[in-house]
Amino acid sequence: MNHIIISLSLLGSTVLSVSILKKKNNKLLSMLSAFCFNLVFLILMMWILMDDEARTFGHSHLHNLVFAVPLITWINFIILQFVIIKEVKA
């Protein structure tokens, strides 16, 4: 289950960051949007999937989702290095 959630986060943040990079031509904004998307999506999924016992006692395997945020963001940064932006000359 965690692998599917992490893959969806990677796919969503990559699509979002590449589209922002192509529209705004601002790499910093696109990296920030990828990080924010990963952070919000993975923490939200962890909170939704956690049951009451895990919330009370802290025993859960879902904490791995929070540790995946830097890894997925780093992969997005590498992907953004290979995106080619074509400028339209007027």
Side-chain angles (χ1 to χ4, degrees):
M1 183 70 165
N2 285 348
H3 293 43
I4 295 170
I5 294 170
I6 291 171
S7 299
L8 286 174
S9 176
L10 177 63
L11 179 68
S13 63
T14 302
V15 168
L16 178 71
S17 63
V18 168
S19 66
I20 288 176
L21 181 64
K22 288 193 176 207
K23 285 182 184 178
K24 303 282 186 179
N25 199 11
N26 189 348
K27 194 171 281 194
L28 183 62
L29 181 64
S30 115
M31 289 180 177
L32 183 65
S33 67
F35 174 73
C36 290
F37 179 84
N38 288 329
L39 189 67
V40 169
F41 181 77
L42 290 175
I43 289 177
L44 183 69
M45 292 306 290
M46 184 182 80
W47 186 74
I48 289 172
L49 295 175
M50 196 176 292
D51 58 345
D52 290 334
E53 182 180 349
R55 285 188 185 132
T56 305
F57 298 111
H59 301 293
S60 176
H61 63 281
L62 294 172
H63 65 278
N64 294 333
L65 294 177
V66 175
F67 293 123
V69 172
L71 179 66
I72 295 172
T73 305
W74 181 69
I75 292 170
N76 279 332
F77 290 175
I78 292 173
I79 291 171
L80 286 176
Q81 299 299 320
F82 298 109
V83 174
I84 299 171
I85 302 172
K86 296 180 181 176
E87 292 186 19
V88 178
K89 294 182 180 178

